[in-house]
């Protein structure tokens, strides 16, 4: 049985629902994945690609540092901004008439995640979800609210390219401003159907969403508002994606903000520029409190395309202890796993979807998900 969960959110986390722009960082950092040779003081044009990563500014290579990227520490080039925005070669938009041309263009702009979502044998349905998976994150909401014209235009064009008669735009029923904006022009896009979703955790998970919408998950493409906006910019406008909207949130800061920042910005610099930390005994999570990764310090974070949220929370005063048999993890598990049994016997479970709810509700602060969601399925 699958069940949606209504989460109790921290009332002390206040999010300002507008976009703050950060267009002029002093420097950025580019992760170096492939073996390439670079020299100090080499000039870098804006929109130069280093492997899959793009320079969002123009300037000179002035050093390097170790950064955390996908749970590993790697080297990154430091580029000092000359604030000239020099571009060597301007990109040009190209008319896209079919899915193969679309996929080629996605590859060109290194939008590999979107490419993978479209790479299925037979596409029968297209679903766009404007739902943030994590609490205390408003990226999807704010993108649709601000760019609803571009989002609807792109969905309509995608439906034509894919040869589909209808597509679904799914929005939480509590996102009043997004719903109002979309409805104001929806009549000009007859192929797009608006579907309002309950304000519950996991509704954006494609397993749960496909059941809610009564769609075949295997033949349905699920894209986010961010995906659609990136397609609009790259495939239909011929622009490189060198910025990212992220949410910086948590109860250890004065207020949570949504920031449109250049890619490659140092996390410490971004927080210093926009955020006031009110409790110095804090812990940091990338990409959410429920499913994110805990990092040791802001100095480790560089804004890359895979980062959506930075959470800065007050550190829990309660240390992990033994299980107190409260049953909270059993009651909340959306796929009805006996989480307590798995944890006590150190067993993983193949049904676990890694939603993080067990960790979220555990009063003993035990690492339940880390046990149940291990790679090897022992139970």
């Amino acid at each position: 049985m699958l069940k949606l969960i209504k989460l109790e959110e921290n009332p002390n986390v206040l999010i300002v629902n507008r976009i703050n722009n950060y267009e002029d960082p002093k420097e950025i950092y580019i992760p170096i994945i492939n073996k390439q040779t670079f020299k100090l003081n080499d000039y870098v044009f804006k929109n130069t690609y280093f492997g899959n990563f793009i320079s969002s500014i123009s300037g000179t290579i002035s050093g390097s540092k170790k950064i955390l990227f996908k749970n590993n520490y790697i080297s990154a080039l430091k580029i000092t901004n000359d604030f000239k925005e020099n571009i060597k070669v301007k990109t040009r938009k190209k008319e896209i008439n079919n899915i193969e041309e679309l996929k080629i263009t996605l590859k060109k702009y290194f939008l590999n995640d979107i490419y993978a979502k479209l790479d299925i044998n037979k596409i029968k349905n297209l679903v766009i979800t404007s739902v943030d998976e994590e609490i205390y994150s408003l990226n999807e909401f704010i993108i649709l609210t601000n760019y609803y014209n571009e989002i609807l235009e792109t969905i309509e064009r995608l439906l034509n390219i894919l040869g589909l008669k209808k597509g679904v735009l799914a929005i939480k029923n509590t996102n009043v401003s997004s719903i109002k904006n979309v409805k104001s022009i929806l009549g000009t896009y007859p192929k797009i159907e608006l579907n309002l979703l309950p304000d519950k955790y996991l509704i954006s998970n494609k397993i749960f969403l496909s059941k809610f919408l009564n769609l075949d998950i295997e033949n349905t493409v699920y894209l986010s508002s961010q995906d659609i906006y990136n397609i609009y910019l790259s495939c239909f406008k011929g622009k490189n994606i060198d910025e990212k909207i992220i949410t910086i949130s948590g109860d250890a800061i004065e207020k949570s903000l949504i920031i449109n920042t250049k890619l490659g910005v140092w996390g410490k610099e971004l927080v210093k520029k926009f955020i006031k930390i009110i409790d110095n005994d804090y812990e940091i999570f990338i990409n959410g409190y429920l499913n994110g990764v805990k990092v040791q310090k802001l100095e480790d974070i560089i804004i890359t395309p895979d980062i959506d949220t930075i959470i800065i929370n007050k550190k829990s005063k309660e240390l992990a202890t033994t299980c107190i048999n409260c049953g909270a993890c059993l009651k909340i598990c959306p796929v009805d796993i006996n989480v307590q049994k798995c944890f006590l016997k150190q067993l993983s479970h193949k049904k676990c979807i890694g939603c993080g709810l067990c960790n979220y509700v555990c009063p003993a602060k035990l690492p339940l998900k880390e046990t149940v969601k291990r790679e090897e399925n022992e139970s």
Side-chain angles (χ1 to χ4, degrees):
M1 182 181 77
L2 301 175
K3 57 186 178 185
L4 298 171
I5 306 296
K6 179 64 179 176
L7 288 178
E8 294 296 326
E9 298 186 12
N10 189 332
N12 295 319
V13 178
L14 305 174
I15 299 180
V16 178
N17 295 342
R18 61 180 177 82
I19 297 176
N20 299 269
N21 290 299
Y22 191 33
E23 301 289 340
D24 55 350
K26 295 177 182 178
E27 70 262 339
I28 64 165
Y29 293 86
I30 305 290
I32 302 302
I33 306 297
N34 302 320
K35 292 182 179 179
Q36 294 172 278
T37 302
F38 308 98
K39 296 179 182 178
L40 283 177
N41 301 318
D42 278 355
Y43 192 77
V44 175
F45 288 92
K46 179 183 176 182
N47 290 347
T48 298
Y49 278 100
F50 295 80
N52 291 359
F53 298 97
I54 193 170
S55 177
S56 58
I57 62 173
S58 61
T60 54
I61 296 175
S62 55
S64 64
K65 76 185 297 287
K66 290 289 185 181
I67 66 164
L68 187 65
F69 178 71
K70 294 187 176 180
N71 298 333
N72 294 308
Y73 283 91
I74 65 172
S75 294
L77 290 179
K78 177 183 177 181
I79 300 176
T80 299
N81 199 348
D82 64 3
F83 301 100
K84 294 180 180 179
E85 300 278 304
N86 286 330
I87 299 175
K88 190 173 184 179
V89 179
K90 291 185 178 181
T91 57
R92 296 179 180 179
K93 63 180 180 179
K94 181 182 177 182
E95 191 64 34
I96 295 172
N97 299 303
N98 56 60
I99 188 169
E100 292 307 319
E101 291 177 353
L102 176 64
K103 289 163 80 172
I104 289 170
T105 309
L106 290 171
K107 282 285 190 180
K108 173 185 173 182
Y109 289 97
F110 296 99
L111 296 173
N112 298 321
D113 289 344
I114 302 176
Y115 178 96
K117 292 177 182 179
L118 287 167
D119 196 25
I120 62 178
N121 291 330
K122 180 66 174 177
I123 300 173
K124 293 183 179 179
N125 307 295
L126 176 66
V127 176
I128 313 304
T129 57
S130 181
V131 179
D132 291 280
E133 295 184 0
E134 284 277 347
I135 58 174
Y136 315 130
S137 177
L138 288 180
N139 295 7
E140 295 297 329
F141 162 76
I142 207 73
I143 289 171
L144 181 61
T145 301
N146 283 268
Y147 306 116
Y148 60 95
N149 277 294
E150 294 87 346
I151 298 291
L152 290 174
E153 175 190 331
T154 303
I155 295 172
E156 187 85 0
R157 292 180 71 173
L158 277 179
L159 290 170
N160 292 332
I161 289 170
L162 298 174
L164 300 177
K165 294 181 179 180
K166 286 286 182 181
V168 175
L169 174 60
I171 311 175
K172 273 188 181 179
N173 56 21
T174 53
N175 290 353
V176 178
S177 56
S178 291
I179 295 169
K180 180 181 177 182
N181 288 346
V182 168
K183 283 187 172 180
S184 69
I185 61 170
L186 190 61
T188 60
Y189 298 99
K191 289 189 174 184
I192 302 174
E193 177 183 297
L194 179 63
N195 199 303
L196 302 184
L197 306 176
D199 184 18
K200 292 186 178 181
Y201 181 53
L202 291 175
I203 189 60
S204 62
N205 181 293
K206 65 180 183 180
I207 298 173
F208 290 72
L209 186 58
S210 62
K211 288 187 176 295
F212 185 86
L213 298 174
N214 195 29
L215 294 174
D216 178 8
I217 192 172
E218 298 298 327
N219 296 311
T220 301
V221 171
Y222 296 88
L223 298 175
S224 66
S225 293
Q226 177 75 75
D227 291 335
I228 293 294
Y229 191 58
N230 283 346
I231 291 172
Y232 169 79
L233 291 174
S234 60
C235 298
F236 299 146
K237 291 297 178 181
K239 295 182 179 180
N240 287 292
I241 309 298
D242 60 5
E243 298 180 338
K244 182 67 191 287
I245 290 177
I246 68 166
T247 303
I248 302 182
S249 186
D251 60 7
I253 62 179
E254 185 176 60
K255 58 185 177 181
S256 302
L257 297 177
I258 299 161
I259 303 170
N260 185 42
T261 177
K262 295 277 192 181
L263 288 175
V265 168
W266 192 21
K268 184 176 181 180
E269 179 184 352
L270 194 63
V271 170
K272 184 178 179 181
K273 174 80 174 179
F274 289 96
I275 301 296
K276 181 178 180 181
I277 297 176
I278 57 176
D279 190 324
N280 289 321
D281 191 19
Y282 59 80
E283 52 189 2
I284 308 161
F285 298 86
I286 294 176
N287 291 342
Y289 186 59
L290 287 159
N291 280 302
V293 176
K294 189 174 181 180
V295 297
Q296 295 301 313
K297 48 190 177 180
L298 288 167
E299 287 87 340
D300 292 339
I301 302 173
I302 299 298
I303 304 303
T304 52
D306 61 306
I307 291 183
D308 296 309
T309 312
I310 298 174
I311 304 290
I312 306 175
N313 267 354
K314 295 177 183 178
K315 192 174 290 185
S316 174
K317 306 302 180 184
E318 303 176 49
L319 298 176
T321 61
T322 57
C323 176
I324 61 174
N325 296 311
C326 68
C329 60
L330 304 178
K331 294 175 184 176
I332 204 165
C333 179
V335 291
D336 289 330
I337 294 172
N338 190 327
V339 179
Q340 181 187 32
K341 177 183 175 182
C342 288
F343 177 76
L344 293 176
K345 293 188 175 183
Q346 290 293 289
L347 298 174
S348 60
H349 200 293
K350 62 184 179 181
K351 284 176 60 179
C352 179
I353 60 173
C355 66
L357 286 169
C358 51
N359 282 5
Y360 187 70
V361 300
C362 179
K365 306 302 178 187
L366 297 170
L368 303 174
K369 185 185 81 168
E370 288 72 12
T371 297
V372 183
K373 189 57 179 175
R374 286 179 303 178
E375 290 296 324
E376 64 276 15
N377 290 316
E378 301 172 13
S379 61

